[in-house]
Amino acid sequence: MNPEADGPGSPPLGAAVKEVAERASAIFRLEVELATLELQRKGRAFGLGIGFAAGALVVALYMGGFFFATIAAAIATALPTWAALLIVTGLLLLIAGALAALAVARFKRSTPPLPEQAITEAKLTTEALKINGR
């Protein structure tokens, strides 16, 4: 490179490199700031979503209670109130028992939390390598 080809008024190469590095650093800082602001905005939106979901869950739980009270009231038109409530309570007990039995079966199927198939395959591979290595 010929330094005279740049012209008498152009800055030296070192100053140009320094300016490019400073601008790149400023752009990087701005990108980090933009990413931080975007994550904060998304975090607030996510937090609000969690709050709305929790509110919906609470309302759904109350709705379930009123649903079963409605069933008991409907049965109470034909039977005494205590019998209607007892029937609904028994129905809920049966549903809870069935769900608990399903949960226990799933827990038993998933324990111990070991990758049994992968362990078996690793043992077979080790044995095959030992046989081929002899």
Side-chain angles (χ1 to χ4, degrees):
M1 289 185 130
N2 186 358
E4 295 174 6
D6 292 338
S10 64
L13 183 61
V17 169
K18 181 179 176 187
E19 184 178 344
V20 168
E22 288 173 355
R23 288 187 183 193
S25 176
I27 289 172
F28 178 75
R29 281 193 306 271
L30 289 173
E31 290 291 336
V32 168
E33 185 178 343
L34 175 65
T36 303
L37 291 173
E38 185 178 1
L39 287 175
Q40 287 174 349
R41 182 174 45 89
K42 287 185 178 187
R44 281 192 297 271
F46 189 74
L48 282 172
I50 289 175
F52 290 143
L57 180 63
V58 168
V59 171
L61 286 173
Y62 279 110
M63 182 199 65
F66 277 101
F67 174 72
F68 290 113
T70 302
I71 291 173
I75 295 172
T77 59
L79 297 174
T81 304
W82 67 267
L85 291 172
L86 187 63
I87 290 171
V88 172
T89 302
L91 178 67
L92 289 174
L93 181 65
L94 287 174
I95 292 171
L99 290 174
L102 289 172
V104 168
R106 291 292 174 162
F107 288 145
K108 285 183 180 178
R109 187 184 304 172
S110 66
T111 55
L114 295 174
E116 294 170 355
Q117 186 178 359
I119 292 171
T120 303
E121 289 295 324
K123 288 179 182 178
L124 291 174
T125 303
T126 303
E127 290 175 12
L129 289 174
K130 285 179 182 179
I131 292 171
N132 290 337
R134 288 183 188 184

